[in-house]
């Protein structure tokens, strides 16, 4: 619980306009809609991009789908479609686009090792670990990888993940547990070595 | 996590780490952790993975935001958005027109340079003139071999093109050219003597054929059928002095000279990536990454000036804060830029024949980014033909803007290239 609370506190900014309020402003006149869309983009683009990138593994495609996600969000806002959970709704749009893209291209996950996008001040050991995590992620079944990314990279709760992927909470719990267990088993030898060095 | 009762210790551990464990199972987990070394090790591993993942911060390219606004039909906003990486202070219509203004500026610059060069050298450039005047710079006066004394027939000179004075001649070149011209004179003299001999033989054959019609010599080839002795002369005659000069001048056709109007060049540029780094898709998928093409015009034999355009990758780093945490975003876009180039290659410092040093400066503008500059030094080699090869060190710097803050990116490395002297093909 403590971890979850910390993550939520990190996300929250006191004087921010609520997501749903910004979403409602998308139906307004152009300047207001533009400001609202820009604000929402800056809040969520990193999360959506990370999700697309980790699921599809392709930098450029992830950027395309990120763009498409927000355009679809804008269209929804223009039409005044009611929503309750903004992050889950946005993530659902991104997920559907990723699934659609994957089925359209009908190809397996293609890893892209351009980790240059990560922070340069990350120590070498961590970079190496990141690469190993990425490689290990590729070994996971798609269902497991998706819930892992939503949980660890996007910080969604189990309930939110269940909403996004349209599965029951129990299914989500089992998938997350198995994904993490499998990942840890793959990385265990390296982690033991890393801990010994430390 | 109470649905998964009874919970296995590691299930409880993962749920706890995700903040999804209820209080009852939490206490059981703590008790288990106290006495289970393996479980503590697993917890340590999970924390290591989580810490690494939280450092794995990914950000989309700044241009995507503009794409979103464009896709949403907020055109003016999109135009403003493109300035995030370029010119944030300009108005939207100016931002939209800026790339075209830059292209027009580059073209205008190249056009002005070409105009100045052409107008400056119009009276000294190579021209096609049938008779060459004595005392030209390229052709030294030569003694009259007077081969025409042995010739009685008419003179016909085919396809003679003469290059006239080249205004600027480096030190020592005039003497070398005079020596070459003298050698060519001797060669031409020999050819003339041979032609005279051949014509004399022809005449004798004709006379013999006239006295003995049945002789097979009657079928001997006529003057018209005699194969040409060189590519420029088929018959020679009495007006030898002027024609011989013409012949000597014609021998220069096809030779590269320093005063010809333009040179095309392709050269590699350093990528800025370390050898151990993975080449990003933006560079890997580019059509011709890190290659520059230039069109230059010689101001003198040592100085050239022209325009250069290139597709080049630069490592760009943006810094900022997200939720109060400093982050650094990095990308390696392949940019297109265009600019002016100046090159100095002193003939006086020629190391060996055809090999000499060069120094080069290029200043340009990368589209939607900012100013870019290159400085290179190295060696260039020409074997005397139209091709020149170069190898050197190149340093480059790009300035770019994001969120009203200027950043810069620099790199250095090897550059190698090939230059084609267009004039040599004429």
């Amino acid at each position: 619980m403590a971890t979850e609370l910390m993550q939520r506190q990190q996300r929250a900014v006191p004087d921010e306009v609520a997501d749903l309020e910004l979403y409602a402003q998308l139906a307004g006149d152009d300047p207001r809609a533009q400001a609202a869309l820009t604000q929402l983009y800056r809040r969520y683009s990193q999360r959506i991009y990370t999700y697309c990138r980790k699921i599809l593994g392709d930098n450029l495609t992830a950027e395309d789908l990120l763009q498409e996600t927000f355009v679809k969000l804008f269209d929804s806002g223009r039409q005044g479609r009611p929503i309750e959970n903004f992050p889950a709704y946005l993530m659902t749009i991104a997920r559907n686009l990723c699934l659609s893209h994957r089925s359209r291209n009908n190809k397996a996950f293609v890893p892209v090792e351009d980790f240059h996008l990560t922070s340069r001040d990350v120590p070498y050991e961590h970079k190496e670990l990141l690469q190993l995590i990425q490689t290990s992620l590729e070994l996971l079944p798609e269902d497991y990888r998706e819930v892992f990314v939503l949980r660890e990279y996007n910080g969604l709760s189990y309930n939110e993940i269940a909403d996004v992927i349209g599965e029951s909470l129990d299914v989500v719990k089992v998938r997350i547990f198995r994904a993490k267990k499998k990942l840890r088993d793959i990385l265990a030898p390296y982690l033991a070595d890393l801990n010994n060095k430390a | 996590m109470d649905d998964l009762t009874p919970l296995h210790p590691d299930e409880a551990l993962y749920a706890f780490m995700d903040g999804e464990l209820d209080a009852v199972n939490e206490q059981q987990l703590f008790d288990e952790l106290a006495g289970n070394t393996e479980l503590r090790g697993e917890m340590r591993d999970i924390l290591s993975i989580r810490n690494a993942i939280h450092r794995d911060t990914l950000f989309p390219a700044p241009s995507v935001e503009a794409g979103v606004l464009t896709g949403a039909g907020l055109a003016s906003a999109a135009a403003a958005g493109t300035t995030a990486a370029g010119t944030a202070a300009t108005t939207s219509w100016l931002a939209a027109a800026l790339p075209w203004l830059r292209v027009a500026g580059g073209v205008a610059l190249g056009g002005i340079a070409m105009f100045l060069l052409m107008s400056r050298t119009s009276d000294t450039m190579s021209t096609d003139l049938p008779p060459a005047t004595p005392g030209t710079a390229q052709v030294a006066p030569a003694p009259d071999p007077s081969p025409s004394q042995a010739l009685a027939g008419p003179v016909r000179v085919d396809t003679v093109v003469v290059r006239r004075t080249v205004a600027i001649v480096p030190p020592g070149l005039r003497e070398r050219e005079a020596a070459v011209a003298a050698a060519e004179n001797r060669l031409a003299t020999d050819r003339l003597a041979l032609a005279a001999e051949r014509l004399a033989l022809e005449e004798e054959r004709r006379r013999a054929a006239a006295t003995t019609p049945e002789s097979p010599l009657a079928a001997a080839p006529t003057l018209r059928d005699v194969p040409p002795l060189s590519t420029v002369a088929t018959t020679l005659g009495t007006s030898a002095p002027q024609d011989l000069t013409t012949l000597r001048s014609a021998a220069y056709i096809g030779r590269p000279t320093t005063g010809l109007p333009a040179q095309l060049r392709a050269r590699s540029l350093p990528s800025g990536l370390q050898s151990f780094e993975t080449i990003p898709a933006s560079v890997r998928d580019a059509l011709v990454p890190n290659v520059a093409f230039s069109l230059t015009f010689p101001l003198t034999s040592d100085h050239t000036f022209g325009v250069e355009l290139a597709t080049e990758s630069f490592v760009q780093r943006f810094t900022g804060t997200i939720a109060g945490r400093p982050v650094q975003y990095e990308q390696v876009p392949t940019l297109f830029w265009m600019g002016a180039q100046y090159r100095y290659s002193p003939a006086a410092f020629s190391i060996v024949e055809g090999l000499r040093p060069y120094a080069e400066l290029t200043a340009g503008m990368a589209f939607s980014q900012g100013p870019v500059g290159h400085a290179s030094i190295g060696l260039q080699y020409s074997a005397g033909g139209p091709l020149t090869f170069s190898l050197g060190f190149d340093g480059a710097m790009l300035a770019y803007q994001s969120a009203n803050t200027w950043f810069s990116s620099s790199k250095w490395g090897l550059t190698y290239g090939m230059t084609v002297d267009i004039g040599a093909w004429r």
Side-chain angles (χ1 to χ4, degrees), chain A:
Chain A
M1 275 304 181
T3 312
E4 178 69 16
L5 277 173
M6 277 172 58
Q7 286 177 348
R8 294 206 179 281
Q9 281 167 1
Q10 278 181 351
R11 281 191 221 166
V13 180
D15 56 351
E16 273 185 347
V17 181
D19 292 341
L20 289 176
E21 195 175 326
L22 289 171
Y23 176 76
Q25 289 175 7
L26 295 179
D29 55 2
D30 273 4
R32 177 176 280 200
Q34 175 192 322
L37 185 61
T38 304
Q39 187 69 18
L40 288 171
Y41 176 86
R42 289 178 182 168
R43 278 185 200 177
Y44 289 97
S45 60
Q46 190 258 332
R47 283 184 234 175
I48 302 296
Y49 174 71
T50 301
Y51 172 80
C52 296
R53 175 80 188 278
K54 293 294 173 187
I55 294 298
L56 298 173
D58 180 358
N59 182 24
L60 294 177
T61 307
E63 287 184 350
D64 287 346
L65 293 188
L66 167 67
Q67 183 173 324
E68 205 171 332
T69 299
F70 277 90
V71 171
K72 280 188 179 296
L73 173 76
F74 179 77
D75 290 342
S76 293
R78 279 293 205 214
Q79 292 162 12
R81 183 177 297 170
I83 60 172
E84 292 178 356
N85 186 334
F86 181 82
Y89 179 71
L90 190 62
M91 191 58 73
T92 305
I93 295 176
R95 180 175 184 266
N96 289 339
L97 287 171
C98 285
L99 291 176
S100 171
H101 175 84
R102 205 161 51 190
S103 63
R104 203 166 50 239
N105 288 272
N106 195 25
K107 62 181 181 183
F109 178 74
V110 180
V112 175
E113 263 72 35
D114 45 344
F115 278 90
H116 62 281
L117 288 171
T118 57
S119 175
R120 264 297 167 107
D121 55 3
V122 174
Y124 177 74
E125 290 80 10
H126 287 128
K127 270 189 167 179
E128 193 180 353
L129 180 55
L130 281 176
Q131 293 200 9
L132 285 168
I133 291 171
Q134 179 67 26
T135 308
S136 307
L137 269 177
E138 292 159 20
L139 300 173
L140 295 180
E142 286 178 5
D143 292 345
Y144 291 2
R145 183 166 66 241
E146 181 178 43
V147 294
F148 181 85
V149 169
L150 288 171
R151 172 64 219 157
E152 292 300 325
Y153 286 92
N154 293 72
L156 266 60
S157 69
Y158 286 12
N159 276 317
E160 287 172 330
I161 295 171
D163 283 347
V164 169
I165 67 172
E167 296 284 357
S168 70
L169 186 62
D170 285 346
V171 169
V172 171
K173 287 174 183 174
V174 170
R175 283 185 187 173
I176 289 179
F177 169 70
R178 288 181 181 167
K180 289 187 173 182
K181 189 80 176 164
K182 198 170 179 64
L183 202 65
R184 190 255 174 182
D185 289 346
I186 295 169
L187 294 171
Y190 174 79
L191 290 169
D193 190 41
L194 195 67
N195 289 332
N196 287 339
K197 280 181 188 172

Side-chain angles (χ1 to χ4, degrees), chain A residues 177 181, chain B residues 4 6-13 29:
Chain A
F177 169 70
K181 189 80 176 164
Chain B
L4 291 179
L7 281 177
H8 194 271
D10 53 3
E11 285 177 324
L13 175 64
L29 173 67

